[in-house]
Amino acid sequence: MSTRNLHTPIEYLKGVGPSRADLLRKELGIRTLADLVNFFPNRYIDRTRFFKINQLQQNSAEVQVIGRITHIKTVKQKRGSRLVATFTDETGTMELVWFRGVKWIKDALKVNVPYVAFGKVSLFGHTFNMPHPELELVAEYKKSLQSAMQPVYPSTENLTNKGVTNRAVVKMMQSLFIETKGTFQETLSSELLDKLQLVSKSKALFHIHFPENQQALTKAQQRLKFEELFFIQLQLIRKKLIHKARIKGFVFETIGNGFNSFYTNHLPFELTNAQKRVVKEIRKDMMTGAQMNRLLQGDVGSGKTIVGLLAMLIALDNGFQASLMAPTEILAKQHYNAICELLEGLDIQIGLLTGSTKVKERKVLHEGLEDGSLHILIGTHALIEDKVQFKNLGLAIIDEQHRFGVAQRAKLWMKNTLPPHILVMTATPIPRTLAMSVYGDLDISVIDELPPGRKEIKTAHRYDSNRLSVFKFMKEEIAKGRQVYVVYPLIQESQKLDFKDLMDGYESIVREFPTPKYQVSIVHGKMKPADKEFELNRFLKQETQIMVATTVIEVGVNIPNASVMIIESAERFGLSQLHQLRGRVGRGAEQSFCILMTSFKLTHDAKKRLDTMVSTNDGFEIAEVDLKLRGPGDLMGTQQSGVLNLRIADIVKDASILKRAREEAILLLKSDPNLADERNKHIQLTYQEISKNRAIWANIS
């Protein structure tokens, strides 16, 4: 069947019509025949076995029975009425029951004609009944495209209420395969099919909807999963190649005085091998003449900031300015203070711009940016305001990029004639499978070792009943001169959930740690920025020993003397958040500890998260577990970017297929970058079709 015919609107398929088509559009997004054929079952049922009524059991399995309707009645209920049909075979009697669509179902039922009834049964008194069965005349059943494994399609309540049952969807599929004669345009090259031993597109589509057996189904699934992931990878990698070829960037040829004198005389410690490797990758990128678009991943405390600073110094040595954008004011100030300290004594002008920068200071900053006397600007979203104009921005670093929208990032481009080089830094380790899918168009660098001298944080899980021993441990650590974080998930008591409220917690800690011997700070999201700042500074200056806080301290606050992190109601936090919070301690030379406090009531997933935290400090391992528990959409907020609206593949379960799809896409584009080769014509056609219909990834920058 030609592709054009698959674009036929769904209402023209036999058995659909305008009102059903409207339902399918609204409920499932099915507009055309192509949408329907790509609407895959989510499970299958063995329809080879028939039960006699006297063999039925009280369980949740779906069964099919052959019998005749002998009697039909309508029974009045409090709201509306229900339809009851007596269904009989030679061994006994059961009831078929409908609570919805009573009138039209009653009109359609035939008495004393053999039917196949399919559904779940339940026992009422001594009689089995089957609510809302799928009914089909035995004569029709024998004629239709039957397979041993019957597909079950995703559905909605609205569809079922309006009579678009699973049986109806199966019938539409049968009509579609009859109309198209089951032949569909191939989308992969014969070379790929042979190399990977994949079945043809037509065979895969037939067996995904009407599998003859488990083996045929497995082959169909593998083929369709590979195809889906292959075209996503093809788009991402091709986009990266086009980006490199077309989007020109500044050429930073010089590694000059600024970089060299800092590296030789001011670097406070020896870089790790991982840091050196990443600096080399960035240097190489900036020399090519194409715009750098690189994601830098590194666990909490792995030293990303110093790598970012070295990249900025390369920009400065080539006569350009650099900027660093952070998601919060606290984090921007912290970067500013750290970089000022590192660059002390060097002739480099650094500015800080946040929402609370005063008008007078802004004026000075704007002038310095425009005449080029200000070399590095650090700040929050304020950096992308229209008023902020650089003389020549050569490098833009974005910290914790998932907290910024695409449009905000794009604004950094507008500051110049040529786009600056972009370095995106994240302390949220991204599992490889996700990085390949979501950031496949970026170059990725990973700092995968911690600086020497960093001790692993010891993590323990304690129940609320152990609280007194936890308090005792806190007192021992404070006596050694250390400081303690206590983090809560909520600010106000939720009526439904019995969580310790932050204020309750604060009061119990103040009771247990009385003044003047102890001082306690409190920080939460409802405080004014100035008050937060005041409390954080008191903690930083060691005027208070305990910081009670909500997750505002999750990102980036650096207090080396804090060595204990206590997380209350830890079962309420996601894995990556627990890992980020744990990273607030362990920044000094002392042994640090993280204690996860929970109640005894824990779900299976919560227990798995806590066990993972206790067993490993490796952010990448944690991210892999998190991906398995939560799925890709939640983890990255990718649902809104539309990258992973996958029809059949699952990037966690199908990681090996994803890896293969990426390898094959890279090989193909190496040998045929424009997909112009005759052998790849099917791939090119499909690629054009997909690119037209589905922009799979909003630009990263």
Side-chain angles (χ1 to χ4, degrees):
M1 185 178 192
S2 75
T3 318
R4 189 177 61 78
N5 290 357
L6 278 180
H7 290 163
T8 304
I10 193 76
E11 53 258 44
Y12 297 114
L13 183 68
K14 187 184 168 196
V16 179
S19 62
R20 256 193 186 180
D22 197 42
L23 255 181
L24 291 169
R25 255 195 306 275
K26 283 181 183 148
E27 297 292 312
L28 300 169
I30 294 175
R31 293 175 167 76
T32 63
L33 299 190
D35 293 334
L36 183 64
V37 82
N38 287 306
F39 179 59
F40 301 129
N42 50 9
R43 61 194 178 90
Y44 299 84
I45 296 164
D46 182 357
R47 294 285 294 259
T48 51
R49 181 163 183 205
F50 288 90
F51 286 79
K52 299 291 180 197
I53 291 174
N54 67 355
Q55 296 173 324
L56 295 176
Q57 301 281 322
Q58 171 72 327
N59 63 23
S60 63
E62 285 157 309
V63 295
Q64 51 187 0
V65 185
I66 293 180
R68 294 166 187 263
I69 293 171
T70 56
H71 182 68
I72 302 168
K73 64 179 176 184
T74 308
V75 182
K76 283 270 180 274
Q77 299 180 149
K78 264 187 193 167
R79 294 167 69 181
S81 51
R82 69 177 186 272
L83 183 67
V84 181
T86 308
F87 194 68
T88 308
D89 72 0
E90 66 275 20
T91 69
T93 297
M94 63 185 280
E95 289 183 337
L96 309 178
V97 187
W98 291 267
F99 300 95
R100 299 183 294 266
V102 170
K103 189 178 175 319
W104 67 264
I105 291 169
K106 188 178 178 183
D107 293 345
L109 293 179
K110 295 180 174 155
V111 179
N112 284 324
V113 180
Y115 273 110
V116 177
F118 173 77
K120 288 182 180 174
V121 292
S122 47
L123 195 58
F124 271 90
H126 297 290
T127 310
F128 276 101
N129 75 25
M130 188 184 278
H132 285 269
E134 281 186 22
L135 271 187
E136 190 172 13
L137 293 167
V138 170
E140 291 290 324
Y141 180 86
K142 285 179 176 163
K143 270 196 299 195
S144 63
L145 267 173
Q146 281 310 322
S147 69
M149 300 174 73
Q150 288 278 286
V152 179
Y153 292 92
S155 188
T156 67
E157 200 177 338
N158 208 10
L159 284 172
T160 315
N161 288 350
K162 300 272 172 71
V164 183
T165 58
N166 194 64
R167 180 81 219 117
V169 177
V170 171
K171 279 198 153 151
M172 289 178 210
M173 273 314 164
Q174 290 172 346
S175 299
L176 192 150
F177 275 85
I178 290 162
E179 276 193 28
T180 57
K181 301 189 175 64
T183 53
F184 298 92
Q185 178 72 53
E186 186 50 74
T187 53
L188 297 174
S189 62
S190 47
E191 269 183 325
L192 258 183
L193 295 178
D194 293 346
K195 182 179 178 183
L196 303 176
Q197 294 182 314
L198 298 171
V199 297
S200 71
K201 177 79 174 198
S202 296
K203 205 176 226 179
L205 285 174
F206 185 74
H207 283 149
I208 202 84
H209 293 293
F210 305 106
E212 286 158 17
N213 50 41
Q214 190 59 53
Q215 191 189 3
L217 175 62
T218 305
K219 283 189 163 171
Q221 285 172 331
Q222 281 178 328
R223 151 72 208 231
L224 294 168
K225 285 174 177 185
F226 175 83
E227 177 183 331
E228 181 166 47
L229 295 169
F230 174 75
F231 281 104
I232 285 180
Q233 292 305 319
L234 206 57
Q235 278 186 290
L236 288 167
I237 296 157
R238 192 139 190 255
K239 186 172 162 220
K240 181 156 107 180
L241 296 173
I242 290 168
H243 185 106
K244 288 192 164 171
R246 284 197 197 147
I247 301 191
K248 300 286 173 258
F250 301 113
V251 182
F252 293 170
E253 289 168 313
T254 316
I255 301 296
N257 191 30
F259 182 95
N260 290 329
S261 83
F262 175 76
Y263 196 90
T264 316
N265 309 318
H266 293 262
L267 199 59
F269 45 76
E270 171 77 10
L271 292 186
T272 63
N273 288 331
Q275 285 172 313
K276 286 177 184 167
R277 184 188 70 240
V278 172
V279 170
K280 269 194 192 130
E281 288 167 354
I282 291 169
R283 273 176 62 172
K284 204 168 140 196
D285 264 3
M286 290 178 171
M287 292 169 84
T288 59
Q291 184 212 20
M292 172 169 80
N293 226 2
R294 188 169 282 278
L295 174 72
L296 171 57
Q297 292 189 69
D299 220 332
V300 178
S302 60
K304 294 181 297 298
T305 309
I306 203 90
V307 169
L309 176 58
L310 289 165
M312 288 185 189
L313 292 172
I314 296 174
L316 270 52
D317 281 348
N318 286 274
F320 286 87
Q321 295 162 303
S323 70
L324 192 164
M325 184 159 78
T328 65
E329 196 155 319
I330 291 173
L331 197 48
K333 280 194 175 157
Q334 195 168 298
H335 278 310
Y336 175 73
N337 293 334
I339 286 172
C340 285
E341 200 178 312
L342 286 163
L343 296 180
E344 205 179 334
L346 292 169
D347 186 21
I348 294 172
Q349 300 307 309
I350 310 160
L352 173 69
L353 178 64
T354 69
S356 56
T357 306
K358 298 198 168 39
V359 176
K360 208 162 136 192
E361 294 164 34
R362 277 172 188 257
K363 198 165 177 286
V364 176
L365 285 175
H366 289 177
E367 283 166 7
L369 282 179
E370 285 174 41
D371 66 21
S373 61
L374 184 62
H375 305 120
I376 295 174
L377 182 63
I378 296 167
T380 55
H381 302 81
L383 294 193
I384 54 181
E385 289 168 1
D386 296 338
K387 289 194 281 291
V388 180
Q389 293 298 329
F390 291 81
K391 183 180 182 191
N392 52 1
L393 178 62
L395 169 69
I397 299 180
I398 300 164
D399 194 18
E400 292 305 336
Q401 118 333 297
H402 58 278
R403 290 166 178 252
F404 294 107
V406 174
Q408 290 170 322
R409 296 196 295 265
K411 278 193 161 184
L412 284 166
W413 284 57
M414 311 307 173
K415 305 278 179 193
N416 279 30
T417 44
L418 273 185
H421 293 297
I422 301 267
L423 180 66
V424 169
M425 303 199 299
T426 180
T428 309
I430 300 159
R432 282 210 51 210
T433 48
L434 203 55
M436 280 193 282
S437 310
V438 180
Y439 293 121
D441 61 336
L442 287 182
D443 295 302
I444 297 180
S445 291
V446 179
I447 303 181
D448 48 12
E449 59 181 309
L450 289 178
R454 274 281 170 97
K455 290 193 176 84
E456 273 214 342
I457 301 162
K458 289 184 178 168
T459 305
H461 172 206
R462 296 283 179 266
Y463 293 105
D464 289 337
S465 52
N466 307 122
R467 192 166 296 283
L468 290 176
S469 61
V470 172
F471 281 157
K472 182 169 172 271
F473 174 70
M474 287 165 70
K475 284 173 181 165
E476 287 165 5
E477 286 295 298
I478 290 169
K480 294 179 194 166
R482 315 267 187 275
Q483 288 165 287
V484 181
Y485 287 110
V486 184
V487 177
Y488 286 85
L490 294 173
I491 294 186
Q492 257 135 23
E493 189 97 34
S494 152
Q495 282 143 14
K496 292 182 195 157
L497 301 166
D498 179 26
F499 281 114
K500 291 206 170 328
D501 179 39
L502 177 78
M503 291 337 238
D504 268 6
Y506 175 65
E507 280 161 25
S508 70
I509 281 174
V510 170
R511 274 199 304 277
E512 188 64 37
F513 296 85
T515 52
K517 188 175 179 185
Y518 300 101
Q519 296 291 329
V520 183
S521 279
I522 181 165
V523 172
H524 57 76
K526 295 197 172 175
M527 290 166 75
K528 292 191 177 103
D531 297 341
K532 270 190 217 171
E533 200 66 31
F534 175 73
E535 288 294 341
L536 276 167
N537 280 332
R538 279 180 47 185
F539 193 59
L540 186 59
K541 291 179 195 153
Q542 296 178 34
E543 290 168 12
T544 61
Q545 296 91 347
I546 300 172
M547 160 72 77
V548 177
T550 53
T551 46
V552 287
I553 56 129
E554 173 192 346
V555 176
V557 182
N558 190 7
I559 297 177
N561 192 50
S563 65
V564 182
M565 167 63 70
I566 291 166
I567 303 174
E568 292 285 352
S569 302
E571 71 273 25
R572 289 278 294 152
F573 292 91
L575 252 180
S576 61
Q577 209 177 15
L578 288 171
H579 182 60
Q580 287 279 345
L581 285 167
R582 174 167 62 185
R584 298 298 104 231
V585 296
R587 298 185 159 239
E590 308 306 331
Q591 177 62 57
S592 287
F593 304 89
C594 176
I595 300 170
L596 308 167
M597 302 293 296
T598 71
S599 64
F600 279 104
K601 279 188 198 160
L602 292 176
T603 63
H604 170 75
D605 280 5
K607 186 94 182 68
K608 178 92 173 137
R609 289 198 296 272
L610 298 165
D611 292 347
T612 305
M613 285 294 294
V614 172
S615 66
T616 181
N617 271 274
D618 179 338
F620 287 92
E621 205 177 306
I622 285 167
E624 290 289 350
V625 176
D626 204 15
L627 181 63
K628 288 189 175 103
L629 287 175
R630 289 204 287 160
D634 285 348
L635 200 63
M636 295 300 304
T638 44
Q639 298 306 34
Q640 71 253 13
S641 64
V643 180
L644 298 174
N645 293 339
L646 297 174
R647 283 191 171 125
I648 190 165
D650 174 316
I651 64 162
V652 181
K653 296 186 186 122
D654 302 320
S656 58
I657 301 179
L658 170 64
K659 192 164 170 281
R660 191 66 202 258
R662 188 168 176 83
E663 285 164 6
E664 292 300 338
I666 290 169
L667 282 174
L668 175 68
L669 289 171
K670 262 191 184 149
S671 66
D672 185 11
N674 296 318
L675 305 176
D677 197 316
E678 178 61 23
R679 288 173 310 176
N680 297 323
K681 69 168 188 247
H682 293 324
I683 295 176
Q684 195 205 23
L685 278 171
T686 312
Y687 180 86
Q688 283 170 342
E689 191 72 20
I690 292 172
S691 304
K692 215 166 47 197
N693 294 338
R694 220 167 134 215
I696 72 149
W697 175 232
N699 267 327
I700 183 82
S701 40

Short mmCIF file of all heavy atoms in Angstrom, two decimals, residues 43-64:
data_model
loop_
_atom_site.label_atom_id
_atom_site.label_comp_id
_atom_site.label_asym_id
_atom_site.label_seq_id
_atom_site.Cartn_x
_atom_site.Cartn_y
_atom_site.Cartn_z
N ARG A 43 -0.69 -5.94 25.61
CA ARG A 43 -0.54 -7.33 26.06
C ARG A 43 -1.35 -8.25 25.14
O ARG A 43 -2.05 -7.77 24.25
CB ARG A 43 -0.95 -7.50 27.52
CG ARG A 43 -2.37 -7.17 27.83
CD ARG A 43 -2.63 -7.03 29.33
NE ARG A 43 -4.02 -6.66 29.56
CZ ARG A 43 -5.01 -7.52 29.73
NH1 ARG A 43 -4.78 -8.81 29.71
NH2 ARG A 43 -6.25 -7.09 29.91
N TYR A 44 -1.23 -9.55 25.39
CA TYR A 44 -1.89 -10.55 24.53
C TYR A 44 -2.54 -11.62 25.41
O TYR A 44 -2.07 -11.91 26.49
CB TYR A 44 -0.87 -11.20 23.59
CG TYR A 44 -0.21 -10.21 22.67
CD1 TYR A 44 0.88 -9.46 23.11
CD2 TYR A 44 -0.70 -9.97 21.40
CE1 TYR A 44 1.46 -8.50 22.29
CE2 TYR A 44 -0.12 -9.02 20.57
CZ TYR A 44 0.96 -8.29 21.02
OH TYR A 44 1.53 -7.34 20.22
N ILE A 45 -3.64 -12.19 24.91
CA ILE A 45 -4.35 -13.23 25.66
C ILE A 45 -4.45 -14.48 24.80
O ILE A 45 -4.70 -14.39 23.60
CB ILE A 45 -5.78 -12.75 25.99
CG1 ILE A 45 -5.71 -11.53 26.92
CG2 ILE A 45 -6.59 -13.85 26.67
CD1 ILE A 45 -7.02 -10.79 26.98
N ASP A 46 -4.26 -15.63 25.45
CA ASP A 46 -4.37 -16.90 24.73
C ASP A 46 -5.85 -17.20 24.46
O ASP A 46 -6.61 -17.46 25.39
CB ASP A 46 -3.74 -18.01 25.59
CG ASP A 46 -3.77 -19.36 24.86
OD1 ASP A 46 -4.32 -19.41 23.74
OD2 ASP A 46 -3.24 -20.33 25.42
N ARG A 47 -6.25 -17.16 23.17
CA ARG A 47 -7.67 -17.40 22.84
C ARG A 47 -7.87 -18.79 22.22
O ARG A 47 -8.83 -19.02 21.51
CB ARG A 47 -8.18 -16.33 21.86
CG ARG A 47 -8.23 -14.92 22.40
CD ARG A 47 -9.38 -14.64 23.37
NE ARG A 47 -10.70 -14.70 22.79
CZ ARG A 47 -11.43 -13.66 22.44
NH1 ARG A 47 -10.96 -12.44 22.57
NH2 ARG A 47 -12.65 -13.81 21.96
N THR A 48 -6.94 -19.71 22.48
CA THR A 48 -7.11 -21.05 21.88
C THR A 48 -8.00 -21.92 22.76
O THR A 48 -8.55 -22.91 22.31
CB THR A 48 -5.74 -21.75 21.73
OG1 THR A 48 -5.07 -21.69 23.00
CG2 THR A 48 -4.89 -21.09 20.68
N ARG A 49 -8.14 -21.56 24.04
CA ARG A 49 -8.86 -22.44 24.97
C ARG A 49 -10.29 -21.95 25.21
O ARG A 49 -10.52 -20.77 25.44
CB ARG A 49 -8.08 -22.49 26.29
CG ARG A 49 -8.77 -23.39 27.26
CD ARG A 49 -7.94 -23.84 28.42
NE ARG A 49 -8.79 -24.76 29.20
CZ ARG A 49 -8.63 -24.99 30.47
NH1 ARG A 49 -7.65 -24.42 31.13
NH2 ARG A 49 -9.43 -25.82 31.11
N PHE A 50 -11.23 -22.88 25.15
CA PHE A 50 -12.64 -22.58 25.49
C PHE A 50 -13.02 -23.32 26.76
O PHE A 50 -12.61 -24.47 26.95
CB PHE A 50 -13.57 -23.02 24.34
CG PHE A 50 -13.45 -22.13 23.14
CD1 PHE A 50 -12.54 -22.42 22.14
CD2 PHE A 50 -14.23 -20.99 23.02
CE1 PHE A 50 -12.41 -21.59 21.03
CE2 PHE A 50 -14.11 -20.16 21.92
CZ PHE A 50 -13.21 -20.45 20.92
N PHE A 51 -13.78 -22.67 27.64
CA PHE A 51 -14.23 -23.29 28.89
C PHE A 51 -15.71 -23.69 28.78
O PHE A 51 -16.49 -23.01 28.12
CB PHE A 51 -14.09 -22.30 30.06
CG PHE A 51 -12.67 -22.10 30.50
CD1 PHE A 51 -11.80 -21.28 29.78
CD2 PHE A 51 -12.19 -22.74 31.63
CE1 PHE A 51 -10.49 -21.10 30.17
CE2 PHE A 51 -10.87 -22.56 32.05
CZ PHE A 51 -10.02 -21.75 31.31
N LYS A 52 -16.05 -24.74 29.50
CA LYS A 52 -17.46 -25.05 29.71
C LYS A 52 -17.89 -24.28 30.97
O LYS A 52 -17.05 -24.01 31.84
CB LYS A 52 -17.66 -26.56 29.94
CG LYS A 52 -17.23 -27.43 28.76
CD LYS A 52 -18.16 -27.24 27.60
CE LYS A 52 -17.76 -28.10 26.40
NZ LYS A 52 -18.41 -27.62 25.17
N ILE A 53 -19.17 -23.98 31.07
CA ILE A 53 -19.64 -23.19 32.23
C ILE A 53 -19.33 -23.92 33.55
O ILE A 53 -18.95 -23.29 34.53
CB ILE A 53 -21.14 -22.83 32.08
CG1 ILE A 53 -21.30 -21.81 30.93
CG2 ILE A 53 -21.72 -22.26 33.39
CD1 ILE A 53 -22.72 -21.46 30.55
N ASN A 54 -19.40 -25.25 33.57
CA ASN A 54 -19.13 -25.96 34.84
C ASN A 54 -17.63 -26.04 35.17
O ASN A 54 -17.25 -26.58 36.20
CB ASN A 54 -19.80 -27.35 34.86
CG ASN A 54 -19.17 -28.30 33.85
OD1 ASN A 54 -18.30 -27.91 33.07
ND2 ASN A 54 -19.62 -29.55 33.88
N GLN A 55 -16.78 -25.52 34.25
CA GLN A 55 -15.33 -25.52 34.55
C GLN A 55 -14.85 -24.16 35.08
O GLN A 55 -13.68 -24.00 35.40
CB GLN A 55 -14.53 -25.81 33.26
CG GLN A 55 -14.76 -27.18 32.66
CD GLN A 55 -14.06 -27.29 31.30
OE1 GLN A 55 -14.00 -26.34 30.53
NE2 GLN A 55 -13.52 -28.47 31.02
N LEU A 56 -15.74 -23.17 35.13
CA LEU A 56 -15.31 -21.82 35.51
C LEU A 56 -14.83 -21.76 36.95
O LEU A 56 -15.37 -22.44 37.83
CB LEU A 56 -16.45 -20.82 35.29
CG LEU A 56 -16.90 -20.61 33.83
CD1 LEU A 56 -18.09 -19.67 33.76
CD2 LEU A 56 -15.75 -20.08 32.97
N GLN A 57 -13.81 -20.94 37.19
CA GLN A 57 -13.23 -20.78 38.52
C GLN A 57 -13.38 -19.32 38.96
O GLN A 57 -13.45 -18.42 38.13
CB GLN A 57 -11.72 -21.08 38.48
CG GLN A 57 -11.37 -22.47 38.01
CD GLN A 57 -11.56 -23.50 39.11
OE1 GLN A 57 -11.27 -23.23 40.26
NE2 GLN A 57 -12.08 -24.67 38.75
N GLN A 58 -13.34 -19.10 40.28
CA GLN A 58 -13.41 -17.73 40.81
C GLN A 58 -11.98 -17.16 40.81
O GLN A 58 -11.25 -17.25 41.79
CB GLN A 58 -13.99 -17.78 42.23
CG GLN A 58 -13.96 -16.48 43.02
CD GLN A 58 -14.95 -15.45 42.51
OE1 GLN A 58 -15.26 -15.37 41.33
NE2 GLN A 58 -15.46 -14.63 43.40
N ASN A 59 -11.52 -16.64 39.68
CA ASN A 59 -10.20 -15.96 39.65
C ASN A 59 -10.27 -14.81 38.65
O ASN A 59 -11.30 -14.57 38.04
CB ASN A 59 -9.07 -16.95 39.29
CG ASN A 59 -9.23 -17.53 37.91
OD1 ASN A 59 -9.89 -16.95 37.05
ND2 ASN A 59 -8.64 -18.70 37.69
N SER A 60 -9.16 -14.09 38.50
CA SER A 60 -9.26 -12.86 37.70
C SER A 60 -8.89 -13.08 36.23
O SER A 60 -8.77 -12.13 35.47
CB SER A 60 -8.33 -11.80 38.29
OG SER A 60 -7.01 -12.27 38.19
N ALA A 61 -8.67 -14.35 35.82
CA ALA A 61 -8.27 -14.60 34.43
C ALA A 61 -9.44 -14.35 33.48
O ALA A 61 -10.61 -14.49 33.86
CB ALA A 61 -7.79 -16.03 34.30
N GLU A 62 -9.10 -13.98 32.24
CA GLU A 62 -10.14 -13.80 31.22
C GLU A 62 -10.39 -15.15 30.54
O GLU A 62 -9.44 -15.88 30.27
CB GLU A 62 -9.70 -12.75 30.21
CG GLU A 62 -9.80 -11.35 30.80
CD GLU A 62 -8.91 -10.34 30.14
OE1 GLU A 62 -7.71 -10.63 29.99
OE2 GLU A 62 -9.39 -9.27 29.78
N VAL A 63 -11.66 -15.47 30.32
CA VAL A 63 -12.00 -16.77 29.74
C VAL A 63 -12.95 -16.58 28.56
O VAL A 63 -13.56 -15.53 28.42
CB VAL A 63 -12.69 -17.69 30.79
CG1 VAL A 63 -11.75 -18.04 31.92
CG2 VAL A 63 -13.96 -17.04 31.33
N GLN A 64 -13.05 -17.64 27.71
CA GLN A 64 -14.08 -17.59 26.67
C GLN A 64 -14.93 -18.86 26.71
O GLN A 64 -14.44 -19.94 26.97
CB GLN A 64 -13.47 -17.33 25.30
CG GLN A 64 -12.33 -18.22 24.89
CD GLN A 64 -11.72 -17.75 23.58
OE1 GLN A 64 -12.15 -16.77 23.00
NE2 GLN A 64 -10.72 -18.46 23.11
#
